[in-house]
Amino acid sequence: MRLLLPLLVLLGALAAQPAHASDLANAQRLWLAGQKPQAVDQVEQALARTPDDLQLRFALGVMRMELGERAKAVAIFTRLTQDFPDLADPYNNLAVLHAAAGELDEAKAALDQALRVQPDHAQAQENLGDVLVRLALRAYQHAQKVAIAPSDALNAKLSRTLTLTRDLSKTP
């Protein structure tokens, strides 16, 4: 599963907005220079001045994701879905975090919401496909475990399906 946009593209697109161009541009320069904590500080300082700024909040969420700060990123994207329920991107990124943690049902719910908001959101569609494959794999694995004296035909079919699903889930 992937984020809506890679961080550098996101920061570049956001920096083009005039309201916070210098803050985001500075954060991007710091990030690219490997000064990631300083980039986060730059965005947080800008947010202290304009705490409701969608672009800054989203950028901070992506940065937290990239830094592996899952709990902070989840909190940011969850709050964005509450404050801006008509935007698909926070739901998509929240789903990526859930899927990475193996929380497939939560990931699917977030992607379903993203697609209710924006049915043609390509990244959310792709991520939903990834989650559905992983859910299918989980279901087939469970079926294999709970099968009581399965017939040879059923066992062979289940084994083939499980192998195909595993192979599909490994596809980049």
Side-chain angles (χ1 to χ4, degrees), residues 37-53:
Q38 294 87 341
V40 170
D41 287 343
Q42 177 78 38
V43 172
E44 287 178 337
Q45 288 172 17
L47 277 169
R49 293 186 300 277
T50 55
D52 295 328
D53 187 280

Side-chain angles (χ1 to χ4, degrees), residues 24-154:
L24 288 170
N26 288 337
Q28 183 180 22
R29 278 192 291 279
L30 290 167
W31 190 270
L32 289 170
Q35 298 175 335
K36 294 179 180 185
Q38 294 87 341
V40 170
D41 287 343
Q42 177 78 38
V43 172
E44 287 178 337
Q45 288 172 17
L47 277 169
R49 293 186 300 277
T50 55
D52 295 328
D53 187 280
L54 167 64
Q55 296 166 340
L56 290 170
R57 290 169 62 190
F58 192 86
L60 182 60
V62 172
M63 287 178 172
R64 295 291 187 195
M65 285 179 79
E66 294 284 326
L67 291 171
E69 298 174 357
R70 183 185 184 280
K72 289 179 180 180
V74 166
I76 291 167
F77 289 120
T78 298
R79 184 66 188 199
L80 283 170
T81 65
Q82 295 164 351
D83 294 345
F84 302 95
D86 294 334
L87 295 178
D89 300 336
Y91 290 108
N92 181 67
N93 286 8
L94 190 56
V96 171
L97 288 162
H98 285 307
E103 301 164 350
L104 299 179
D105 296 319
E106 293 86 348
K108 183 181 179 306
L111 290 165
D112 286 342
Q113 185 58 34
L115 293 169
R116 272 192 286 284
V117 170
Q118 186 180 345
D120 60 347
H121 193 288
Q123 192 61 60
Q125 288 286 355
E126 180 181 343
N127 289 343
L128 180 60
D130 293 342
V131 167
L132 291 174
V133 168
R134 290 176 61 189
L135 284 168
L137 181 60
R138 183 173 74 183
Y140 291 130
Q141 289 169 333
H142 183 70
Q144 192 174 46
K145 287 179 185 174
V146 299
I148 300 172
S151 69
D152 288 340
L154 177 62

Side-chain angles (χ1 to χ4, degrees), residues 6-17 24-25 28:
L7 182 62
L8 300 179
V9 173
L10 170 73
L11 289 177
L14 293 177
Q17 302 299 319
L24 288 170
Q28 183 180 22

